[in-house]
Amino acid sequence: MPDKDAGTPRVFLIRHGETEWTISGRYTGRSDIPLTPHGEEQVAASREVIVGPGKIIDPSRLAHLFISPRTRAQRTFEILFDEKTRKEIGAQAEITEDIREWEYGLYEGLLTAQIRAGRKERGLDTERPWNIWHDGCEEGETAAEVATRLDRIISKIREIQAPYMHGEKGVDVIIIAHGHILRAFAKRWIGFELGMRLPMMLEPGAVGVLSYEHHKVDEPAFLLGVNMGGT
């Protein structure tokens, strides 16, 4: 059966490698926590399999990269691409606060159980437990604020990719960021409100893929599986 969507542009969601707070489950937004040695190994392992000429992420087919300003995301970028490649794609790399992690406000550095206990003490959540997708973060961001900045990036990506929906030119895009914000991005990519239930997992150092159906920019989709042999 022929691949009817072959050549369609893709967006690669790359989560930074493990940090000490990833291990403990603490909410890590603005805190600049470095990768652990194992976190660097996670990213390097992904690089060996999927990054390089003729592989899934082929630097020659990249049109743009959106990278979080946090050290853990910057280091992930450095591991994914060697110095020569970083120089070649440097003009396409954009470090932007629009793809930073969710602003957790009062919840920075806490565990979910601690957040819920604290909110209960303050008389909140009398009918159901706290849920970031619905309730946002005290002194941090609401879901609507997160969606607004993610939609700006999505609009930029669609402008880049729309003219080349049949593979006329390599216009793949990479986003290197964080666990919550990348899952939020995936929801907005397919037009979901952030409060809509869509359980997703993205391990540290892992790669997710988004694309389009039928070579149409107005039909964004998840790409549930990719051929590991590349393009």
Side-chain angles (χ1 to χ4, degrees):
M1 180 177 178
D3 183 357
K4 61 183 176 61
D5 293 320
T8 308
R10 295 168 295 183
V11 178
F12 298 100
L13 307 182
I14 301 177
R15 184 181 178 187
H16 64 74
E18 172 193 271
T19 70
E20 290 295 342
W21 283 18
T22 304
I23 298 170
S24 63
R26 296 166 70 180
Y27 282 70
T28 318
R30 284 195 171 270
S31 299
D32 225 358
I33 310 298
L35 301 184
T36 63
H38 180 58
E40 297 203 354
E41 291 172 0
Q42 290 172 324
V43 178
S46 291
R47 176 196 64 211
E48 292 304 313
V49 175
I50 64 173
V51 179
K55 294 185 179 180
I56 295 169
I57 299 178
D58 187 332
S60 70
R61 296 190 61 80
L62 294 179
H64 207 81
L65 298 88
F66 295 93
I67 308 170
S68 165
R70 303 298 168 255
T71 297
R72 54 199 185 273
Q74 298 292 315
R75 179 58 181 151
T76 296
F77 171 60
E78 292 173 356
I79 297 170
L80 280 174
F81 301 99
D82 60 31
E83 184 177 3
K84 178 177 180 292
T85 303
R86 292 200 304 273
K87 288 181 179 179
E88 291 172 350
I89 64 177
Q92 294 106 299
E94 177 182 348
I95 298 171
T96 172
E97 290 281 348
D98 276 350
I99 200 60
R100 70 185 186 275
E101 182 57 291
W102 200 305
E103 293 282 355
Y104 295 127
L106 292 181
Y107 308 154
E108 183 78 8
L110 300 181
L111 305 174
T112 299
Q114 293 172 321
I115 295 169
R116 288 177 173 170
R119 287 175 64 93
K120 186 175 181 180
E121 291 174 359
R122 294 189 291 277
L124 303 173
D125 309 327
T126 57
E127 296 183 1
R128 58 168 175 78
W130 170 76
N131 182 315
I132 192 172
W133 304 104
H134 291 281
D135 306 316
C137 300
E138 294 175 272
E139 299 184 16
E141 285 184 299
T142 66
E145 288 170 331
V146 169
T148 295
R149 60 182 169 95
L150 294 180
D151 287 350
R152 284 196 292 265
I153 294 180
I154 290 171
S155 179
K156 290 179 181 179
I157 293 172
R158 302 253 165 93
E159 288 181 9
I160 290 169
Q161 295 183 333
Y164 307 105
M165 296 303 293
H166 290 267
E168 299 91 339
K169 177 182 177 181
V171 287
D172 288 342
V173 170
I174 285 179
I175 298 178
I176 303 176
H178 315 271
H180 251 134
I181 207 67
L182 289 176
R183 284 179 284 158
F185 184 94
K187 284 186 176 183
R188 293 306 300 151
W189 181 259
I190 58 173
F192 275 29
E193 296 298 322
L194 295 191
M196 294 183 68
R197 179 169 170 75
L198 184 65
M200 291 177 284
M201 298 174 67
L202 186 62
E203 296 177 346
V207 180
V209 191
L210 304 173
S211 189
Y212 308 87
E213 287 191 291
H214 311 120
H215 302 282
K216 293 184 178 180
V217 74
D218 58 353
E219 294 188 24
F222 290 117
L223 187 52
L224 292 182
V226 294
N227 186 319
M228 299 304 284
T231 58

